[in-house]
Amino acid sequence: MEGKIQVFFVVFTLLFSAWQEAPKEEDTDKHNPPNVLFIAVDDLNTMLGSLNGPAKTPNMDKLASMGVLFSDAHCQAPLCGPSRASIMTGLRPSTTGMYGMIPDNKIISENPATRDIVLLPEYFKQNGYHTMGIGKLFHIHAPDSLFDESGGRVKGFGPYPEERFVWDGFGTSDRKNYGRTSTDWGAFPEADSLMPDHQSVNWAIERLERKHNKPFFMGVGFLRVHVPLYVPQKWFDMYPLESIETMPYKADDLNDVPEVALKINDLPMMPSTDWAIESGEWPKIIQAYLACISYVDYEIGRLLEALENSEYADNTVIVLWSDHGYRLGEKGTFAKHALWNTATRVPLIFAGSTVPKNKIIDEPAELLSMYPTLLELCGLPVYDRNEGKSLVSAMHGKNDEASVAITTFGMNNHAVKSSRYRYIRYEDGGEEFYDLENDPNEFINLASSPSYIDEMNKLKSVLPKENSIWDSNSSYTFQPYFVEQKARVNGSEK
């Protein structure tokens, strides 16, 4: 009996030692978490080559082939301030009341929804990451002291010529009360090196060449494709004017939409499509926009090449996103500012060693999902305050639920995008409904059609139940409707 006990003890000891020494997958990941390269591109719509668009984007297309491209991703707000606040807090605008612009340092405030929220880069810092950021990541750059290393951001969207080329920035708007848009287009400056985005990439490259003793989170925010649509002439030369195709357009397109939709779309400081047609500028605006996309693609290529040549190439998760889409004449104007498809749909690409390669997912996705997705890809604990859901299961084909994407613009104005349909409901009860399979341009509002009641009700059922009043620090004075709405729902507060 004693001999059996001794044999058992020896076997147990050997097995226990082997178990202790054997590398466990979760321990390996825990001790060697991936870095994160977080690439934000301002006002980039879905004209990329990898999304069957006319833009020449070899570097973003290559990144898409290296990972997963979500071809039907949508923003949470079609305006940079609330969109980026939603991404960084992991909360919907309807939860926070951040419907308009908000200073970076005011995202964390007395607002009960955000006063103790952990911002996305901060969560990585709390979990042992060295955080770095440059350029436009939040509305301006980032809250003070958020990053361990901050490259800041060049003010505005320059460089600017001495005089505007085409558009004065006012149009027919109330100059005294509603500001001036940066919108203009033309070849300027002479060299890429004079662009702030070029300097941002230089800053990031220098840090990719360093030795880091901790995993890093690096955010790089590009200013283009935001207006003014200025880049050097060589990028315009890639798109001869005679090759430019304008967007489908109906002059009476908005005759069947609710009153609130018309108020939101009232942007007299922006060029109208009718003006662009009459002046002959429509192809030139599109040419300038495409030139800006190709310029940004070049800078992204420089950044990705530096990562590829660094020691971090095999252990970095990359995500590339835009804060919202951009209309180039669709629905009567040149702007974001809407709950229609061209204003809400965005590129969203993930790549890295744990991400499937060369995969396109056509189901709707939300930018809100970036926060939880990055945590899961990096093996970090779930942050239970996130309202978005991780996309990792979808990347691996394990998502059985039909997905939708919700976009909010102002209090109680929402769009819900399913794989085929778009349902929009405004604060006054007005509705729009589009069958995108048969009407990809959203020309025909089917909200009053009895044939679509069941589909409308399905999408109506997922509208946000909470619709907070405007955060006191958030506003959008560029547009009369939002000034009036905030004053109305918040009392006398502007």
Side-chain angles (χ1 to χ4, degrees), residues 328-441:
L328 292 168
E330 299 95 335
K331 302 289 184 183
T333 193
F334 295 79
K336 43 253 188 181
H337 307 96
L339 289 171
W340 299 304
N341 208 49
T342 48
T344 70
R345 187 169 163 239
V346 295
L348 179 61
I349 303 170
F350 289 89
S353 60
T354 58
V355 178
K357 290 180 171 48
N358 201 25
K359 186 171 185 177
I360 298 176
I361 295 178
D362 296 323
E363 288 298 305
E366 298 182 308
L367 292 184
L368 193 66
S369 292
M370 276 196 290
Y371 196 151
T373 301
L374 288 173
L375 298 189
E376 185 169 356
L377 289 174
C378 293
L380 298 184
V382 170
Y383 182 39
D384 59 10
R385 297 285 297 278
N386 281 163
E387 292 187 316
K389 65 178 183 179
S390 171
L391 298 171
V392 173
S393 293
M395 291 179 188
H396 294 280
K398 298 178 181 178
N399 187 14
D400 296 328
E401 297 180 12
S403 57
V404 297
I406 300 170
T407 303
T408 299
F409 200 25
M411 182 179 172
N412 219 356
N413 300 319
H414 307 288
V416 183
K417 172 67 175 61
S418 68
S419 58
R420 177 171 173 175
Y421 302 107
R422 171 175 293 269
Y423 172 68
I424 302 174
R425 183 178 176 88
Y426 297 97
E427 62 165 327
D428 64 352
E431 297 175 304
E432 295 177 57
F433 187 82
Y434 299 100
D435 181 347
L436 297 176
E437 184 175 292
N438 296 314
D439 179 24
N441 300 304

Side-chain angles (χ1 to χ4, degrees), residues 221-350:
F222 291 90
L223 299 180
R224 289 293 177 270
V225 184
H226 194 288
V227 293
L229 302 176
Y230 297 156
V231 286
Q233 180 65 50
K234 64 180 180 180
W235 303 107
F236 283 77
D237 293 341
M238 294 175 64
Y239 301 97
L241 269 177
E242 60 271 17
S243 71
I244 300 296
E245 294 185 12
T246 56
M247 312 322 188
Y249 173 63
K250 285 180 61 183
D252 62 352
D253 183 17
L254 301 182
N255 288 355
D256 60 356
V257 303
E259 182 183 357
V260 175
L262 296 174
K263 289 180 178 179
I264 291 174
N265 199 49
D266 184 17
L267 297 161
M269 70 290 296
M270 311 300 286
S272 71
T273 308
D274 288 340
W275 174 88
I277 292 170
E278 293 167 8
S279 65
E281 291 291 327
W282 196 358
K284 297 176 185 178
I285 300 173
I286 296 173
Q287 178 195 42
Y289 188 86
L290 292 171
C292 289
I293 293 179
S294 288
Y295 163 71
V296 169
D297 182 77
Y298 158 73
E299 296 292 3
I300 289 170
R302 293 178 61 224
L303 180 62
L304 295 177
E305 182 180 24
L307 176 64
E308 187 177 343
N309 292 333
S310 76
E311 61 182 282
Y312 310 108
D314 297 328
N315 192 35
T316 298
V317 170
I318 306 166
V319 60
L320 184 147
W321 55 278
S322 171
D323 48 1
H324 44 69
Y326 200 84
R327 296 182 283 158
L328 292 168
E330 299 95 335
K331 302 289 184 183
T333 193
F334 295 79
K336 43 253 188 181
H337 307 96
L339 289 171
W340 299 304
N341 208 49
T342 48
T344 70
R345 187 169 163 239
V346 295
L348 179 61
I349 303 170
F350 289 89

Side-chain angles (χ1 to χ4, degrees), residues 118-132 144-149 214 217 380:
V118 180
L119 300 172
L120 193 162
E122 184 182 11
Y123 194 90
F124 279 87
K125 181 190 285 191
Q126 291 182 358
N127 282 272
Y129 276 66
H130 178 68
T131 58
M132 301 174 279
D144 294 344
S145 304
L146 178 71
F147 292 113
D148 295 315
E149 288 185 70
K214 298 164 65 175
F217 176 101
L380 298 184

